[in-house]
Amino acid sequence: MRITVLAGGVGGARFLRGLLAAAPDAEITVIGNTGDDITLFGLHVSPDLDTVMYTLGGGISEDQGWGRDRETFTVLHELAAYGCEPDWFSLGDRDFATHIARTAMLTAGLPLSAATSALSERWQPGVTLLPMSDDTIETHVVIDDGAGPRTVHFQEWWVRLHAAVPARRIIAAGAQDATPAPGVLAAITAADFVLLPPSNPVVSVGIILSVPGIAAAVRAKTVVGISPIIGGAPVRGMADACLAAIGVPTTAAAVGGHYGADLLDGWLVDEKDADAVAAPELAGITVRAIPLYMTDLQASAEIARAAVALAQELGQ
Amino acid sequence: MRITVLAGGVGGARFLRGLLAAAPDAEITVIGNTGDDITLFGLHVSPDLDTVMYTLGGGISEDQGWGRDRETFTVLHELAAYGCEPDWFSLGDRDFATHIARTAMLTAGLPLSAATSALSERWQPGVTLLPMSDDTIETHVVIDDGAGPRTVHFQEWWVRLHAAVPARRIIAAGAQDATPAPGVLAAITAADFVLLPPSNPVVSVGIILSVPGIAAAVRAKTVVGISPIIGGAPVRGMADACLAAIGVPTTAAAVGGHYGADLLDGWLVDEKDADAVAAPELAGITVRAIPLYMTDLQASAEIARAAVALAQELGQ
């Protein structure tokens, strides 16, 4: 069984951990969002790729859901003593090593996909982890904090401003001239089905789908998604702020409708949102209501099992 | 009083600490050796500049004489887990921050002199610290470890091979096309005198003097040097292995003679080497024998005081 998953950070990684437990023999390819990537202190940081890699490789901070376990902050503290900016993005010493290793490979001329593959050698995540593109695509957010609209990097809005300033627009800068990384389209085409985990539909899955060629390849497949919205609120993160920027209500039905029947064949919503089964915006999509809180590995595996079962059913 | 010093790493830094105590009102410019600079894990490491900066700024590991105090090694350990090379160069977490900050500035287009100045803002070393050049000059060593001669970076010979393989030649690669960093020639010209601390005469002072224009500017000044050789052996480091490569005996007299009367006006040797005062190779150089072991700050200050006094005497 071949499964391809478009994944963001924490939600995607936790779903993938469940998927590996639910389908241990499947050949899983993960297409990771790199729109959140940012250069900090001259180093290339890929938060979503790292969250997947650390989570599946056993190096994640379980408390945070991102970053390394048992972190220390000596390097960051020293950089602050040099007056190096920014001071709003937390990077631990163990995490720094990943960014140093990645940046060294990129500087030596390797594409991000090759660097990701080399880093994954250590973590053995049990999936093939691919960046969505080797080209630079940055998620930018147009905000207006009083002095007129200005464009900031996603991380500045998300981390520094805690997404508290309303986003007017969210842009995948560079996407139109980008191509999918090697293996991305092939992994989608060769998959028995594609899964959209409960990642942020705008700044994670949405950015991946903005890479020319990816959305069309995904639409040609059986696709099952898992709602990141339960009972009118994001399970974690600030997806509501992102949805507001694109005019989509924060409901499981609206997010499924945003993906649309063109893309989605199946849509898993939480039991709280069982009324979505009959929602008009989900016409043409098979909707199932099951418990969607990924409280532990077993819960994540149950969700993944339901997604796989629905995809297999719809793919016949 | 304006003093310009050509300095390598540990010996140079300890002498400078003495000089600051001996001449607290002097305007001191330090021209640092960058031939030892090396790119490790994609980061620009400047060991000699950092040793001066950390020593004078109070951040040095006093035990080692190089590197930061109270170091931890999380980043290096993690890089090893990724299989990143080399595994023979020790960099602590605090030290890593310096190299990250420096590399970020260089990547942003700043010359090394500007990056050095920015890093020095934090350390307030009490001197103006200039790299010898903003151009890349790498000290290379031609060795023959059995399979015929090959050229390695100085650090590979010094740190990985512990200078145990004989050096056939020592080369300042890139020096002939380099120019002194901004301020270097002006600092030499404006100085009341130039001091050569007990740094390695081949791979520290020798490399600085190989930058076109520096030796000529230094020769025009009153110059006093301090012998790094006491009783036929280097006080620290492996200067003997470097001297062997250029055919100079490991004696205070031979090193003074290697610098030569063209360059040196005065030469301080240790009491053990008092016979150097009458050595024929030191003809034309004023030689004084005093205690030269820099056992503590007071001893270093006494040596610096003697150097300053001799330079003032010879400059009249």
Side-chain angles (χ1 to χ4, degrees), chain B residues 209-237:
Chain B
L209 290 171
S210 76
V211 180
I214 292 186
V218 171
R219 270 192 218 107
K221 308 300 295 187
T222 299
V223 179
V224 169
I226 294 95
S227 174
I229 305 296
I230 299 182
V235 177
R236 60 170 292 137

Side-chain angles (χ1 to χ4, degrees), chain A residues 41-43 53-54 68 71-72 74-75 78-79 81-82 84 93-94 96-98 100-101 104 118-120 122-123, chain B residues 41-43 53-54 68 71-72 74-75 78-79 81-82 84 93-94 96-98 100-101 104 118-120 122-123:
Chain A
F41 313 111
L43 302 174
M53 196 170 72
Y54 294 160
R68 289 293 315 279
E71 268 295 17
T72 51
T74 302
V75 174
E78 288 289 323
L79 285 166
Y82 281 117
C84 290
D93 296 327
R94 299 177 142 213
F96 257 111
T98 302
I100 291 169
L119 295 173
S120 294
R122 169 184 177 189
W123 293 105
Chain B
F41 314 111
L43 302 174
M53 194 169 73
Y54 295 160
R68 290 294 314 280
E71 267 295 18
T72 50
T74 302
V75 174
E78 288 288 323
L79 285 166
Y82 281 118
C84 291
D93 297 328
R94 297 176 142 213
F96 257 111
T98 303
I100 291 169
L119 295 173
S120 293
R122 170 184 177 189
W123 292 107

